[in-house]
PDB file of all heavy atoms in Angstrom:
ATOM      1  N   SER A   1       0.815  -1.229  -0.020  1.00 91.00           N
ATOM      2  CA  SER A   1       0.004   0.009   0.015  1.00 91.00           C
ATOM      3  C   SER A   1       0.866   1.263  -0.028  1.00 91.00           C
ATOM      4  O   SER A   1       0.335   2.374   0.121  1.00 91.00           O
ATOM      5  CB  SER A   1      -0.946   0.013   1.215  1.00 91.00           C
ATOM      6  OG  SER A   1      -0.272  -0.281   2.399  1.00 91.00           O
ATOM      7  N   ARG A   2       2.148   1.109  -0.177  1.00 92.00           N
ATOM      8  CA  ARG A   2       3.125   2.210  -0.338  1.00 92.00           C
ATOM      9  C   ARG A   2       3.312   3.091   0.894  1.00 92.00           C
ATOM     10  O   ARG A   2       3.690   4.261   0.755  1.00 92.00           O
ATOM     11  CB  ARG A   2       2.745   3.060  -1.550  1.00 92.00           C
ATOM     12  CG  ARG A   2       2.738   2.315  -2.883  1.00 92.00           C
ATOM     13  CD  ARG A   2       4.158   1.722  -3.248  1.00 92.00           C
ATOM     14  NE  ARG A   2       5.140   2.813  -3.423  1.00 92.00           N
ATOM     15  CZ  ARG A   2       6.241   2.969  -2.714  1.00 92.00           C
ATOM     16  NH1 ARG A   2       6.497   2.142  -1.690  1.00 92.00           N
ATOM     17  NH2 ARG A   2       7.015   3.968  -2.947  1.00 92.00           N
ATOM     18  N   LEU A   3       3.035   2.534   2.102  1.00 91.00           N
ATOM     19  CA  LEU A   3       3.340   3.233   3.278  1.00 91.00           C
ATOM     20  C   LEU A   3       4.810   3.111   3.616  1.00 91.00           C
ATOM     21  O   LEU A   3       5.373   3.978   4.317  1.00 91.00           O
ATOM     22  CB  LEU A   3       2.482   2.674   4.450  1.00 91.00           C
ATOM     23  CG  LEU A   3       0.992   2.870   4.292  1.00 91.00           C
ATOM     24  CD1 LEU A   3       0.257   2.244   5.454  1.00 91.00           C
ATOM     25  CD2 LEU A   3       0.619   4.320   4.180  1.00 91.00           C
ATOM     26  N   TYR A   4       5.438   2.000   3.154  1.00 93.00           N
ATOM     27  CA  TYR A   4       6.841   1.774   3.304  1.00 93.00           C
ATOM     28  C   TYR A   4       7.553   1.725   1.918  1.00 93.00           C
ATOM     29  O   TYR A   4       6.866   1.274   0.959  1.00 93.00           O
ATOM     30  CB  TYR A   4       7.124   0.445   4.042  1.00 93.00           C
ATOM     31  CG  TYR A   4       6.866   0.449   5.505  1.00 93.00           C
ATOM     32  CD1 TYR A   4       6.889  -0.774   6.222  1.00 93.00           C
ATOM     33  CD2 TYR A   4       6.440   1.595   6.216  1.00 93.00           C
ATOM     34  CE1 TYR A   4       6.574  -0.841   7.565  1.00 93.00           C
ATOM     35  CE2 TYR A   4       6.156   1.484   7.547  1.00 93.00           C
ATOM     36  CZ  TYR A   4       6.210   0.294   8.211  1.00 93.00           C
ATOM     37  OH  TYR A   4       5.874   0.223   9.555  1.00 93.00           O
ATOM     38  N   ASP A   5       8.760   2.158   1.864  1.00 93.00           N
ATOM     39  CA  ASP A   5       9.587   1.883   0.669  1.00 93.00           C
ATOM     40  C   ASP A   5      10.423   0.646   0.857  1.00 93.00           C
ATOM     41  O   ASP A   5      10.871   0.323   1.975  1.00 93.00           O
ATOM     42  CB  ASP A   5      10.568   3.125   0.458  1.00 93.00           C
ATOM     43  CG  ASP A   5       9.802   4.348  -0.010  1.00 93.00           C
ATOM     44  OD1 ASP A   5       8.866   4.212  -0.744  1.00 93.00           O
ATOM     45  OD2 ASP A   5      10.224   5.485   0.432  1.00 93.00           O
ATOM     46  N   ALA A   6      10.607  -0.087  -0.235  1.00 94.00           N
ATOM     47  CA  ALA A   6      11.436  -1.281  -0.192  1.00 94.00           C
ATOM     48  C   ALA A   6      12.891  -0.880  -0.431  1.00 94.00           C
ATOM     49  O   ALA A   6      13.182   0.053  -1.140  1.00 94.00           O
ATOM     50  CB  ALA A   6      10.943  -2.279  -1.294  1.00 94.00           C
ATOM     51  N   SER A   7      13.813  -1.712   0.170  1.00 94.00           N
ATOM     52  CA  SER A   7      15.203  -1.574  -0.078  1.00 94.00           C
ATOM     53  C   SER A   7      15.562  -2.077  -1.396  1.00 94.00           C
ATOM     54  O   SER A   7      16.485  -1.569  -2.125  1.00 94.00           O
ATOM     55  CB  SER A   7      15.958  -2.265   1.036  1.00 94.00           C
ATOM     56  OG  SER A   7      15.617  -1.729   2.296  1.00 94.00           O
ATOM     57  N   SER A   8      14.960  -3.149  -1.846  1.00 96.00           N
ATOM     58  CA  SER A   8      15.197  -3.789  -3.173  1.00 96.00           C
ATOM     59  C   SER A   8      14.022  -4.692  -3.451  1.00 96.00           C
ATOM     60  O   SER A   8      13.167  -5.033  -2.683  1.00 96.00           O
ATOM     61  CB  SER A   8      16.474  -4.564  -3.158  1.00 96.00           C
ATOM     62  OG  SER A   8      16.443  -5.596  -2.234  1.00 96.00           O
ATOM     63  N   GLY A   9      13.936  -5.121  -4.769  1.00 97.00           N
ATOM     64  CA  GLY A   9      12.893  -6.032  -5.168  1.00 97.00           C
ATOM     65  C   GLY A   9      11.815  -5.353  -5.992  1.00 97.00           C
ATOM     66  O   GLY A   9      11.918  -4.172  -6.401  1.00 97.00           O
ATOM     67  N   SER A  10      10.719  -6.062  -6.191  1.00 97.00           N
ATOM     68  CA  SER A  10       9.675  -5.663  -7.086  1.00 97.00           C
ATOM     69  C   SER A  10       8.345  -6.122  -6.611  1.00 97.00           C
ATOM     70  O   SER A  10       8.159  -7.219  -6.065  1.00 97.00           O
ATOM     71  CB  SER A  10       9.925  -6.132  -8.486  1.00 97.00           C
ATOM     72  OG  SER A  10       8.873  -5.806  -9.409  1.00 97.00           O
ATOM     73  N   ILE A  11       7.298  -5.245  -6.801  1.00 97.00           N
ATOM     74  CA  ILE A  11       5.868  -5.654  -6.539  1.00 97.00           C
ATOM     75  C   ILE A  11       5.116  -5.209  -7.829  1.00 97.00           C
ATOM     76  O   ILE A  11       4.931  -4.022  -7.997  1.00 97.00           O
ATOM     77  CB  ILE A  11       5.284  -5.050  -5.295  1.00 97.00           C
ATOM     78  CG1 ILE A  11       6.094  -5.339  -4.071  1.00 97.00           C
ATOM     79  CG2 ILE A  11       3.814  -5.479  -5.103  1.00 97.00           C
ATOM     80  CD1 ILE A  11       5.613  -4.622  -2.801  1.00 97.00           C
ATOM     81  N   VAL A  12       4.580  -6.156  -8.577  1.00 97.00           N
ATOM     82  CA  VAL A  12       3.917  -5.835  -9.843  1.00 97.00           C
ATOM     83  C   VAL A  12       2.451  -6.292  -9.653  1.00 97.00           C
ATOM     84  O   VAL A  12       2.155  -7.431  -9.376  1.00 97.00           O
ATOM     85  CB  VAL A  12       4.536  -6.553 -10.977  1.00 97.00           C
ATOM     86  CG1 VAL A  12       3.745  -6.260 -12.287  1.00 97.00           C
ATOM     87  CG2 VAL A  12       6.018  -6.105 -11.149  1.00 97.00           C
ATOM     88  N   PHE A  13       1.539  -5.318  -9.924  1.00 97.00           N
ATOM     89  CA  PHE A  13       0.108  -5.602  -9.835  1.00 97.00           C
ATOM     90  C   PHE A  13      -0.451  -5.327 -11.244  1.00 97.00           C
ATOM     91  O   PHE A  13      -0.433  -4.246 -11.756  1.00 97.00           O
ATOM     92  CB  PHE A  13      -0.558  -4.681  -8.834  1.00 97.00           C
ATOM     93  CG  PHE A  13      -2.025  -4.757  -8.765  1.00 97.00           C
ATOM     94  CD1 PHE A  13      -2.670  -5.914  -8.273  1.00 97.00           C
ATOM     95  CD2 PHE A  13      -2.867  -3.750  -9.284  1.00 97.00           C
ATOM     96  CE1 PHE A  13      -4.047  -6.044  -8.211  1.00 97.00           C
ATOM     97  CE2 PHE A  13      -4.238  -3.841  -9.270  1.00 97.00           C
ATOM     98  CZ  PHE A  13      -4.867  -4.995  -8.733  1.00 97.00           C
ATOM     99  N   GLU A  14      -0.984  -6.370 -11.914  1.00 96.00           N
ATOM    100  CA  GLU A  14      -1.548  -6.319 -13.196  1.00 96.00           C
ATOM    101  C   GLU A  14      -0.625  -5.588 -14.187  1.00 96.00           C
ATOM    102  O   GLU A  14      -1.053  -4.724 -14.962  1.00 96.00           O
ATOM    103  CB  GLU A  14      -2.957  -5.701 -13.177  1.00 96.00           C
ATOM    104  CG  GLU A  14      -4.005  -6.505 -12.492  1.00 96.00           C
ATOM    105  CD  GLU A  14      -5.395  -5.993 -12.693  1.00 96.00           C
ATOM    106  OE1 GLU A  14      -5.601  -4.778 -12.732  1.00 96.00           O
ATOM    107  OE2 GLU A  14      -6.304  -6.836 -12.829  1.00 96.00           O
ATOM    108  N   GLY A  15       0.643  -5.875 -14.118  1.00 95.00           N
ATOM    109  CA  GLY A  15       1.607  -5.265 -15.005  1.00 95.00           C
ATOM    110  C   GLY A  15       2.193  -3.955 -14.582  1.00 95.00           C
ATOM    111  O   GLY A  15       3.038  -3.422 -15.265  1.00 95.00           O
ATOM    112  N   THR A  16       1.673  -3.401 -13.516  1.00 95.00           N
ATOM    113  CA  THR A  16       2.199  -2.091 -12.984  1.00 95.00           C
ATOM    114  C   THR A  16       3.099  -2.258 -11.802  1.00 95.00           C
ATOM    115  O   THR A  16       2.784  -2.940 -10.835  1.00 95.00           O
ATOM    116  CB  THR A  16       0.996  -1.122 -12.577  1.00 95.00           C
ATOM    117  OG1 THR A  16       0.189  -0.936 -13.739  1.00 95.00           O
ATOM    118  CG2 THR A  16       1.492   0.177 -12.035  1.00 95.00           C
ATOM    119  N   GLU A  17       4.293  -1.671 -11.848  1.00 96.00           N
ATOM    120  CA  GLU A  17       5.246  -1.669 -10.756  1.00 96.00           C
ATOM    121  C   GLU A  17       4.731  -0.766  -9.620  1.00 96.00           C
ATOM    122  O   GLU A  17       4.764   0.448  -9.764  1.00 96.00           O
ATOM    123  CB  GLU A  17       6.633  -1.324 -11.198  1.00 96.00           C
ATOM    124  CG  GLU A  17       7.660  -1.189 -10.102  1.00 96.00           C
ATOM    125  CD  GLU A  17       7.780  -2.468  -9.297  1.00 96.00           C
ATOM    126  OE1 GLU A  17       8.373  -3.436  -9.829  1.00 96.00           O
ATOM    127  OE2 GLU A  17       7.399  -2.472  -8.086  1.00 96.00           O
ATOM    128  N   LEU A  18       4.347  -1.298  -8.525  1.00 96.00           N
ATOM    129  CA  LEU A  18       3.800  -0.536  -7.430  1.00 96.00           C
ATOM    130  C   LEU A  18       4.839   0.321  -6.731  1.00 96.00           C
ATOM    131  O   LEU A  18       4.543   1.406  -6.165  1.00 96.00           O
ATOM    132  CB  LEU A  18       3.120  -1.407  -6.417  1.00 96.00           C
ATOM    133  CG  LEU A  18       1.899  -2.231  -6.813  1.00 96.00           C
ATOM    134  CD1 LEU A  18       1.284  -2.937  -5.658  1.00 96.00           C
ATOM    135  CD2 LEU A  18       0.849  -1.330  -7.535  1.00 96.00           C
ATOM    136  N   LEU A  19       6.061  -0.145  -6.699  1.00 94.00           N
ATOM    137  CA  LEU A  19       7.088   0.560  -5.927  1.00 94.00           C
ATOM    138  C   LEU A  19       7.460   1.913  -6.647  1.00 94.00           C
ATOM    139  O   LEU A  19       8.133   2.698  -5.988  1.00 94.00           O
ATOM    140  CB  LEU A  19       8.369  -0.281  -5.799  1.00 94.00           C
ATOM    141  CG  LEU A  19       8.155  -1.542  -4.950  1.00 94.00           C
ATOM    142  CD1 LEU A  19       9.430  -2.385  -4.871  1.00 94.00           C
ATOM    143  CD2 LEU A  19       7.595  -1.227  -3.583  1.00 94.00           C
ATOM    144  N   ASN A  20       7.007   2.113  -7.822  1.00 92.00           N
ATOM    145  CA  ASN A  20       7.169   3.414  -8.510  1.00 92.00           C
ATOM    146  C   ASN A  20       5.999   4.360  -8.311  1.00 92.00           C
ATOM    147  O   ASN A  20       6.013   5.472  -8.773  1.00 92.00           O
ATOM    148  CB  ASN A  20       7.402   3.223 -10.011  1.00 92.00           C
ATOM    149  CG  ASN A  20       8.692   2.484 -10.266  1.00 92.00           C
ATOM    150  OD1 ASN A  20       9.663   2.512  -9.539  1.00 92.00           O
ATOM    151  ND2 ASN A  20       8.729   1.702 -11.398  1.00 92.00           N
ATOM    152  N   MET A  21       4.906   3.888  -7.620  1.00 92.00           N
ATOM    153  CA  MET A  21       3.693   4.616  -7.443  1.00 92.00           C
ATOM    154  C   MET A  21       3.652   5.348  -6.143  1.00 92.00           C
ATOM    155  O   MET A  21       4.139   4.870  -5.127  1.00 92.00           O
ATOM    156  CB  MET A  21       2.486   3.681  -7.554  1.00 92.00           C
ATOM    157  CG  MET A  21       2.397   2.835  -8.846  1.00 92.00           C
ATOM    158  SD  MET A  21       1.992   3.786 -10.299  1.00 92.00           S
ATOM    159  CE  MET A  21       0.291   4.252  -9.902  1.00 92.00           C
ATOM    160  N   PRO A  22       3.059   6.563  -6.126  1.00 91.00           N
ATOM    161  CA  PRO A  22       2.810   7.217  -4.807  1.00 91.00           C
ATOM    162  C   PRO A  22       1.682   6.526  -4.076  1.00 91.00           C
ATOM    163  O   PRO A  22       0.828   5.861  -4.717  1.00 91.00           O
ATOM    164  CB  PRO A  22       2.404   8.664  -5.253  1.00 91.00           C
ATOM    165  CG  PRO A  22       1.825   8.453  -6.618  1.00 91.00           C
ATOM    166  CD  PRO A  22       2.569   7.367  -7.272  1.00 91.00           C
ATOM    167  N   ALA A  23       1.645   6.658  -2.762  1.00 90.00           N
ATOM    168  CA  ALA A  23       0.672   5.976  -1.977  1.00 90.00           C
ATOM    169  C   ALA A  23      -0.756   6.275  -2.344  1.00 90.00           C
ATOM    170  O   ALA A  23      -1.624   5.431  -2.359  1.00 90.00           O
ATOM    171  CB  ALA A  23       0.919   6.246  -0.501  1.00 90.00           C
ATOM    172  N   HIS A  24      -1.021   7.583  -2.719  1.00 88.00           N
ATOM    173  CA  HIS A  24      -2.394   8.008  -3.023  1.00 88.00           C
ATOM    174  C   HIS A  24      -2.908   7.409  -4.316  1.00 88.00           C
ATOM    175  O   HIS A  24      -4.116   7.472  -4.539  1.00 88.00           O
ATOM    176  CB  HIS A  24      -2.500   9.496  -3.064  1.00 88.00           C
ATOM    177  CG  HIS A  24      -1.760  10.131  -4.240  1.00 88.00           C
ATOM    178  ND1 HIS A  24      -0.507  10.647  -4.126  1.00 88.00           N
ATOM    179  CD2 HIS A  24      -2.184  10.342  -5.456  1.00 88.00           C
ATOM    180  CE1 HIS A  24      -0.115  11.140  -5.297  1.00 88.00           C
ATOM    181  NE2 HIS A  24      -1.118  10.982  -6.155  1.00 88.00           N
ATOM    182  N   ALA A  25      -2.063   6.839  -5.127  1.00 90.00           N
ATOM    183  CA  ALA A  25      -2.483   6.255  -6.386  1.00 90.00           C
ATOM    184  C   ALA A  25      -2.839   4.774  -6.287  1.00 90.00           C
ATOM    185  O   ALA A  25      -3.407   4.214  -7.265  1.00 90.00           O
ATOM    186  CB  ALA A  25      -1.382   6.432  -7.455  1.00 90.00           C
ATOM    187  N   ILE A  26      -2.513   4.143  -5.176  1.00 92.00           N
ATOM    188  CA  ILE A  26      -2.692   2.694  -5.102  1.00 92.00           C
ATOM    189  C   ILE A  26      -4.190   2.273  -5.173  1.00 92.00           C
ATOM    190  O   ILE A  26      -4.576   1.319  -5.812  1.00 92.00           O
ATOM    191  CB  ILE A  26      -2.049   2.162  -3.760  1.00 92.00           C
ATOM    192  CG1 ILE A  26      -0.554   2.382  -3.843  1.00 92.00           C
ATOM    193  CG2 ILE A  26      -2.328   0.669  -3.613  1.00 92.00           C
ATOM    194  CD1 ILE A  26       0.173   1.736  -4.995  1.00 92.00           C
ATOM    195  N   ALA A  27      -5.038   2.985  -4.408  1.00 89.00           N
ATOM    196  CA  ALA A  27      -6.449   2.612  -4.427  1.00 89.00           C
ATOM    197  C   ALA A  27      -7.096   2.739  -5.837  1.00 89.00           C
ATOM    198  O   ALA A  27      -7.928   1.924  -6.215  1.00 89.00           O
ATOM    199  CB  ALA A  27      -7.219   3.500  -3.444  1.00 89.00           C
ATOM    200  N   GLY A  28      -6.621   3.721  -6.581  1.00 89.00           N
ATOM    201  CA  GLY A  28      -7.154   3.869  -7.958  1.00 89.00           C
ATOM    202  C   GLY A  28      -6.763   2.774  -8.877  1.00 89.00           C
ATOM    203  O   GLY A  28      -7.417   2.559  -9.905  1.00 89.00           O
ATOM    204  N   LEU A  29      -5.716   1.964  -8.551  1.00 93.00           N
ATOM    205  CA  LEU A  29      -5.317   0.805  -9.380  1.00 93.00           C
ATOM    206  C   LEU A  29      -6.249  -0.355  -9.100  1.00 93.00           C
ATOM    207  O   LEU A  29      -6.273  -1.358  -9.855  1.00 93.00           O
ATOM    208  CB  LEU A  29      -3.876   0.418  -9.060  1.00 93.00           C
ATOM    209  CG  LEU A  29      -2.777   1.405  -9.473  1.00 93.00           C
ATOM    210  CD1 LEU A  29      -1.430   0.838  -8.984  1.00 93.00           C
ATOM    211  CD2 LEU A  29      -2.787   1.640 -10.983  1.00 93.00           C
ATOM    212  N   GLY A  30      -6.989  -0.354  -7.963  1.00 93.00           N
ATOM    213  CA  GLY A  30      -7.864  -1.414  -7.606  1.00 93.00           C
ATOM    214  C   GLY A  30      -7.361  -2.225  -6.387  1.00 93.00           C
ATOM    215  O   GLY A  30      -7.668  -3.480  -6.278  1.00 93.00           O
ATOM    216  N   ILE A  31      -6.546  -1.600  -5.509  1.00 95.00           N
ATOM    217  CA  ILE A  31      -6.120  -2.251  -4.309  1.00 95.00           C
ATOM    218  C   ILE A  31      -6.641  -1.493  -3.110  1.00 95.00           C
ATOM    219  O   ILE A  31      -6.488  -0.266  -3.025  1.00 95.00           O
ATOM    220  CB  ILE A  31      -4.522  -2.229  -4.213  1.00 95.00           C
ATOM    221  CG1 ILE A  31      -3.959  -3.008  -5.430  1.00 95.00           C
ATOM    222  CG2 ILE A  31      -4.043  -2.856  -2.911  1.00 95.00           C
ATOM    223  CD1 ILE A  31      -2.478  -2.939  -5.542  1.00 95.00           C
ATOM    224  N   SER A  32      -7.277  -2.206  -2.208  1.00 94.00           N
ATOM    225  CA  SER A  32      -7.846  -1.623  -1.054  1.00 94.00           C
ATOM    226  C   SER A  32      -7.459  -2.504   0.186  1.00 94.00           C
ATOM    227  O   SER A  32      -7.164  -3.637   0.061  1.00 94.00           O
ATOM    228  CB  SER A  32      -9.365  -1.525  -1.140  1.00 94.00           C
ATOM    229  OG  SER A  32      -9.969  -0.816  -0.075  1.00 94.00           O
ATOM    230  N   ARG A  33      -7.451  -1.844   1.407  1.00 92.00           N
ATOM    231  CA  ARG A  33      -6.951  -2.583   2.547  1.00 92.00           C
ATOM    232  C   ARG A  33      -7.696  -2.224   3.834  1.00 92.00           C
ATOM    233  O   ARG A  33      -8.309  -1.130   3.869  1.00 92.00           O
ATOM    234  CB  ARG A  33      -5.430  -2.330   2.782  1.00 92.00           C
ATOM    235  CG  ARG A  33      -5.063  -0.965   3.319  1.00 92.00           C
ATOM    236  CD  ARG A  33      -3.671  -0.901   3.756  1.00 92.00           C
ATOM    237  NE  ARG A  33      -3.422  -1.656   4.966  1.00 92.00           N
ATOM    238  CZ  ARG A  33      -2.234  -1.756   5.581  1.00 92.00           C
ATOM    239  NH1 ARG A  33      -1.169  -1.118   5.058  1.00 92.00           N
ATOM    240  NH2 ARG A  33      -2.135  -2.425   6.717  1.00 92.00           N
ATOM    241  N   THR A  34      -7.652  -3.079   4.807  1.00 92.00           N
ATOM    242  CA  THR A  34      -8.088  -2.761   6.138  1.00 92.00           C
ATOM    243  C   THR A  34      -6.801  -2.688   6.975  1.00 92.00           C
ATOM    244  O   THR A  34      -5.710  -3.060   6.568  1.00 92.00           O
ATOM    245  CB  THR A  34      -9.033  -3.847   6.739  1.00 92.00           C
ATOM    246  OG1 THR A  34      -8.314  -5.046   6.822  1.00 92.00           O
ATOM    247  CG2 THR A  34     -10.238  -3.994   5.868  1.00 92.00           C
ATOM    248  N   PHE A  35      -6.904  -2.243   8.247  1.00 87.00           N
ATOM    249  CA  PHE A  35      -5.795  -2.013   9.108  1.00 87.00           C
ATOM    250  C   PHE A  35      -5.932  -2.868  10.347  1.00 87.00           C
ATOM    251  O   PHE A  35      -7.026  -3.032  10.896  1.00 87.00           O
ATOM    252  CB  PHE A  35      -5.661  -0.529   9.451  1.00 87.00           C
ATOM    253  CG  PHE A  35      -5.248   0.282   8.297  1.00 87.00           C
ATOM    254  CD1 PHE A  35      -6.150   0.836   7.399  1.00 87.00           C
ATOM    255  CD2 PHE A  35      -3.891   0.574   8.025  1.00 87.00           C
ATOM    256  CE1 PHE A  35      -5.766   1.614   6.327  1.00 87.00           C
ATOM    257  CE2 PHE A  35      -3.535   1.355   6.953  1.00 87.00           C
ATOM    258  CZ  PHE A  35      -4.463   1.859   6.101  1.00 87.00           C
ATOM    259  N   GLN A  36      -4.781  -3.325  10.857  1.00 81.00           N
ATOM    260  CA  GLN A  36      -4.762  -4.075  12.121  1.00 81.00           C
ATOM    261  C   GLN A  36      -5.282  -3.254  13.243  1.00 81.00           C
ATOM    262  O   GLN A  36      -6.099  -3.697  14.054  1.00 81.00           O
ATOM    263  CB  GLN A  36      -3.326  -4.457  12.427  1.00 81.00           C
ATOM    264  CG  GLN A  36      -3.126  -5.335  13.580  1.00 81.00           C
ATOM    265  CD  GLN A  36      -1.693  -5.784  13.779  1.00 81.00           C
ATOM    266  OE1 GLN A  36      -0.884  -5.676  12.846  1.00 81.00           O
ATOM    267  NE2 GLN A  36      -1.342  -6.242  14.951  1.00 81.00           N
ATOM    268  N   ASN A  37      -4.938  -1.968  13.331  1.00 83.00           N
ATOM    269  CA  ASN A  37      -5.514  -1.057  14.301  1.00 83.00           C
ATOM    270  C   ASN A  37      -6.544  -0.185  13.563  1.00 83.00           C
ATOM    271  O   ASN A  37      -6.209   0.471  12.556  1.00 83.00           O
ATOM    272  CB  ASN A  37      -4.401  -0.163  14.863  1.00 83.00           C
ATOM    273  CG  ASN A  37      -3.361  -0.964  15.611  1.00 83.00           C
ATOM    274  OD1 ASN A  37      -3.743  -1.784  16.516  1.00 83.00           O
ATOM    275  ND2 ASN A  37      -2.105  -0.686  15.346  1.00 83.00           N
ATOM    276  N   LEU A  38      -7.753  -0.219  14.010  1.00 85.00           N
ATOM    277  CA  LEU A  38      -8.901   0.441  13.337  1.00 85.00           C
ATOM    278  C   LEU A  38      -8.547   1.871  13.016  1.00 85.00           C
ATOM    279  O   LEU A  38      -8.053   2.623  13.881  1.00 85.00           O
ATOM    280  CB  LEU A  38     -10.158   0.330  14.158  1.00 85.00           C
ATOM    281  CG  LEU A  38     -10.736  -1.058  14.351  1.00 85.00           C
ATOM    282  CD1 LEU A  38     -11.925  -1.040  15.242  1.00 85.00           C
ATOM    283  CD2 LEU A  38     -11.108  -1.714  13.005  1.00 85.00           C
ATOM    284  N   ALA A  39      -8.909   2.317  11.830  1.00 83.00           N
ATOM    285  CA  ALA A  39      -8.654   3.708  11.376  1.00 83.00           C
ATOM    286  C   ALA A  39      -9.932   4.362  10.958  1.00 83.00           C
ATOM    287  O   ALA A  39     -10.110   4.792   9.784  1.00 83.00           O
ATOM    288  CB  ALA A  39      -7.630   3.749  10.234  1.00 83.00           C
ATOM    289  N   LEU A  40     -10.905   4.368  11.873  1.00 92.00           N
ATOM    290  CA  LEU A  40     -12.266   4.948  11.560  1.00 92.00           C
ATOM    291  C   LEU A  40     -12.411   6.279  12.171  1.00 92.00           C
ATOM    292  O   LEU A  40     -11.663   6.689  13.102  1.00 92.00           O
ATOM    293  CB  LEU A  40     -13.349   4.001  12.140  1.00 92.00           C
ATOM    294  CG  LEU A  40     -13.386   2.536  11.593  1.00 92.00           C
ATOM    295  CD1 LEU A  40     -14.353   1.698  12.377  1.00 92.00           C
ATOM    296  CD2 LEU A  40     -13.741   2.569  10.093  1.00 92.00           C
ATOM    297  N   PHE A  41     -13.393   7.062  11.650  1.00 92.00           N
ATOM    298  CA  PHE A  41     -13.723   8.337  12.187  1.00 92.00           C
ATOM    299  C   PHE A  41     -14.936   8.093  13.165  1.00 92.00           C
ATOM    300  O   PHE A  41     -16.028   7.949  12.762  1.00 92.00           O
ATOM    301  CB  PHE A  41     -14.148   9.333  11.085  1.00 92.00           C
ATOM    302  CG  PHE A  41     -12.995   9.700  10.204  1.00 92.00           C
ATOM    303  CD1 PHE A  41     -12.722   8.899   9.094  1.00 92.00           C
ATOM    304  CD2 PHE A  41     -12.181  10.774  10.473  1.00 92.00           C
ATOM    305  CE1 PHE A  41     -11.642   9.248   8.234  1.00 92.00           C
ATOM    306  CE2 PHE A  41     -11.131  11.117   9.655  1.00 92.00           C
ATOM    307  CZ  PHE A  41     -10.858  10.358   8.562  1.00 92.00           C
ATOM    308  N   LYS A  42     -14.542   8.101  14.456  1.00 91.00           N
ATOM    309  CA  LYS A  42     -15.494   7.635  15.485  1.00 91.00           C
ATOM    310  C   LYS A  42     -16.796   8.507  15.605  1.00 91.00           C
ATOM    311  O   LYS A  42     -17.803   8.064  16.003  1.00 91.00           O
ATOM    312  CB  LYS A  42     -14.826   7.529  16.828  1.00 91.00           C
ATOM    313  CG  LYS A  42     -13.663   6.518  16.848  1.00 91.00           C
ATOM    314  CD  LYS A  42     -14.121   5.093  16.670  1.00 91.00           C
ATOM    315  CE  LYS A  42     -12.968   4.097  16.730  1.00 91.00           C
ATOM    316  NZ  LYS A  42     -12.455   3.978  18.101  1.00 91.00           N
ATOM    317  N   SER A  43     -16.670   9.817  15.268  1.00 93.00           N
ATOM    318  CA  SER A  43     -17.802  10.701  15.401  1.00 93.00           C
ATOM    319  C   SER A  43     -18.770  10.625  14.258  1.00 93.00           C
ATOM    320  O   SER A  43     -19.881  11.147  14.310  1.00 93.00           O
ATOM    321  CB  SER A  43     -17.310  12.192  15.549  1.00 93.00           C
ATOM    322  OG  SER A  43     -16.629  12.612  14.421  1.00 93.00           O
ATOM    323  N   LEU A  44     -18.310  10.019  13.143  1.00 95.00           N
ATOM    324  CA  LEU A  44     -19.172   9.879  11.955  1.00 95.00           C
ATOM    325  C   LEU A  44     -19.992   8.586  12.018  1.00 95.00           C
ATOM    326  O   LEU A  44     -19.631   7.614  12.750  1.00 95.00           O
ATOM    327  CB  LEU A  44     -18.367   9.822  10.666  1.00 95.00           C
ATOM    328  CG  LEU A  44     -17.529  11.060  10.362  1.00 95.00           C
ATOM    329  CD1 LEU A  44     -16.780  10.918   9.053  1.00 95.00           C
ATOM    330  CD2 LEU A  44     -18.434  12.335  10.300  1.00 95.00           C
ATOM    331  N   THR A  45     -21.118   8.571  11.347  1.00 96.00           N
ATOM    332  CA  THR A  45     -21.942   7.345  11.229  1.00 96.00           C
ATOM    333  C   THR A  45     -21.295   6.308  10.435  1.00 96.00           C
ATOM    334  O   THR A  45     -20.313   6.534   9.710  1.00 96.00           O
ATOM    335  CB  THR A  45     -23.315   7.702  10.599  1.00 96.00           C
ATOM    336  OG1 THR A  45     -23.115   8.034   9.244  1.00 96.00           O
ATOM    337  CG2 THR A  45     -24.008   8.799  11.325  1.00 96.00           C
ATOM    338  N   VAL A  46     -21.811   5.080  10.565  1.00 96.00           N
ATOM    339  CA  VAL A  46     -21.349   3.954   9.784  1.00 96.00           C
ATOM    340  C   VAL A  46     -21.403   4.334   8.286  1.00 96.00           C
ATOM    341  O   VAL A  46     -20.479   4.103   7.499  1.00 96.00           O
ATOM    342  CB  VAL A  46     -22.145   2.735  10.031  1.00 96.00           C
ATOM    343  CG1 VAL A  46     -21.873   1.598   9.029  1.00 96.00           C
ATOM    344  CG2 VAL A  46     -21.868   2.218  11.475  1.00 96.00           C
TER     345      VAL A  46
END
């Protein structure tokens, strides 16, 4: 999800090298994630 940079290697998703992408572009490629520690806006509704 591009929160960390790799020291070496490659991650290719449907032909696109993710390690060259900014973090904000990952969701637009079709990758979504949940987090181990919840990252919700508690004052907002479901």
Side-chain angles (χ1 to χ4, degrees):
S1 51
R2 298 299 296 118
L3 297 179
Y4 289 171
D5 289 324
S7 303
S8 61
S10 174
I11 304 175
V12 177
F13 174 72
E14 292 192 322
T16 298
E17 173 58 69
L18 297 186
L19 296 181
N20 296 331
M21 304 288 292
H24 68 264
I26 296 300
L29 293 176
I31 300 175
S32 186
R33 72 169 291 181
T34 64
F35 290 86
Q36 183 176 345
N37 298 312
L38 294 176
L40 299 171
F41 293 89
K42 298 295 182 71
S43 62
L44 297 182
T45 65
V46 169

